Amino acid sequence: MNTIKSRDRAQKNCFKQAKAALLLSEKSDGSTVFMGDSITQGWLQDSLSLFKNKDYINKGIGGQTTQQMKHRFMQDVVQLEPEVVVILAGINDIAQNSGYISIPDIAHNIEEMTAMAKNNDIKVVICSVLPSNYFPWRPQIAPADKVVALNALLKEIAVNNEATYLDYYSVMVDDKKGMKDAYTTDGVHCTIQGYRIMELLIENCFKTLF
């Protein structure tokens, strides 16, 4: 076991080597931080346009749960002083990557990240969890209804905290509460076409914020 990583459960050191050089350059008027897991991290592809915008900062770490994101939120979001944070999180909690956690507790972690941002004058976009009815790495878990329940709570949190709710789910879901085949590689992660749909939705969302 890697003892350093075992202590650093939130993987807060993932960006540490580059942070000293990037911190000043990442701070800019109108910047947006994307906080998330492998779905956010996987957006960094040459054929996709979103992160070619220098004001969009990708802080996705594969496999992470909301508790881990919450632990690094101050370092990876607040200290960069962005205008907006986009939070896409929760699917790995449902997959029990860090053990069992209830749907309300997942939502509470996202609400706490929202509060940290709002307390520092950062606008918040809370994204729906993407549809999924199967986890390749946790086939014993049936996620579909859990995703629906979590999204209902996230929408409520957005309303109660004057945040923006971005609904990817309704556009990307199929008739079995999974992601449409064209949008996913494995039932959880996105194809290029899936990311392009998400890019359209996020850019439309930003038109209401800026």
Side-chain angles (χ1 to χ4, degrees):
M1 178 182 291
N2 185 320
T3 57
I4 294 175
K5 274 202 170 184
S6 68
R7 294 190 197 112
D8 187 22
R9 296 190 62 188
Q11 294 173 279
K12 290 169 71 175
N13 289 325
C14 183
F15 301 104
K16 207 167 204 177
Q17 292 179 344
K19 186 182 175 186
L22 288 175
L23 188 58
L24 289 177
S25 64
E26 286 185 333
K27 289 181 181 181
S28 63
D29 292 339
S31 66
T32 298
V33 174
F34 289 73
M35 169 60 77
D37 48 38
S38 59
I39 296 169
T40 296
Q41 187 178 38
W43 218 320
L44 292 170
Q45 300 185 46
D46 288 341
S47 57
L48 296 169
S49 62
L50 189 72
F51 288 100
K52 290 181 171 64
N53 185 327
K54 64 181 178 60
D55 289 328
Y56 294 171
I57 303 162
N58 189 309
K59 293 295 184 180
I61 297 180
Q64 282 210 326
T65 60
T66 55
Q67 186 72 17
Q68 292 170 312
M69 292 180 208
K70 186 174 71 173
H71 285 166
R72 65 182 173 93
F73 196 85
M74 187 63 67
Q75 172 184 296
D76 284 348
V77 178
V78 174
Q79 289 181 9
L80 299 182
E81 300 178 10
E83 184 170 352
V84 179
V85 61
V86 178
I87 303 171
L88 174 55
I91 197 67
N92 288 323
D93 299 74
I94 293 173
Q96 300 182 25
N97 280 17
S98 298
Y100 173 77
I101 180 172
S102 70
I103 298 300
D105 284 346
I106 301 169
H108 182 67
N109 285 336
I110 294 173
E111 187 166 29
E112 287 192 330
M113 286 188 270
T114 300
M116 278 191 275
K118 299 284 285 187
N119 289 340
N120 286 277
D121 299 318
I122 301 168
K123 298 173 185 176
V124 180
V125 177
I126 300 174
C127 302
S128 69
V129 177
L130 304 189
S132 179
N133 59 14
Y134 174 74
F135 293 143
W137 70 102
R138 292 280 195 282
Q140 71 276 21
I141 295 175
D145 290 335
K146 294 179 175 67
V147 170
V148 172
L150 178 55
N151 283 340
L153 291 179
L154 296 182
K155 188 173 184 178
E156 184 177 319
I157 287 168
V159 171
N160 292 341
N161 290 274
E162 297 183 337
T164 299
Y165 180 72
L166 176 54
D167 184 9
Y168 291 134
Y169 181 94
S170 296
V171 176
M172 301 179 78
V173 70
D174 66 14
D175 58 1
K176 296 178 181 177
K177 298 182 183 178
M179 207 182 313
K180 292 177 181 176
D181 288 343
Y183 299 156
T184 185
T185 59
D186 60 359
V188 176
H189 300 95
C190 294
T191 61
I192 295 296
Q193 187 175 348
Y195 279 120
R196 285 178 177 153
I197 290 293
M198 293 168 70
E199 288 188 353
L200 288 173
L201 293 171
I202 193 69
E203 294 289 9
N204 285 337
C205 174
F206 285 166
K207 290 175 183 176
T208 69
L209 294 177
F210 299 112

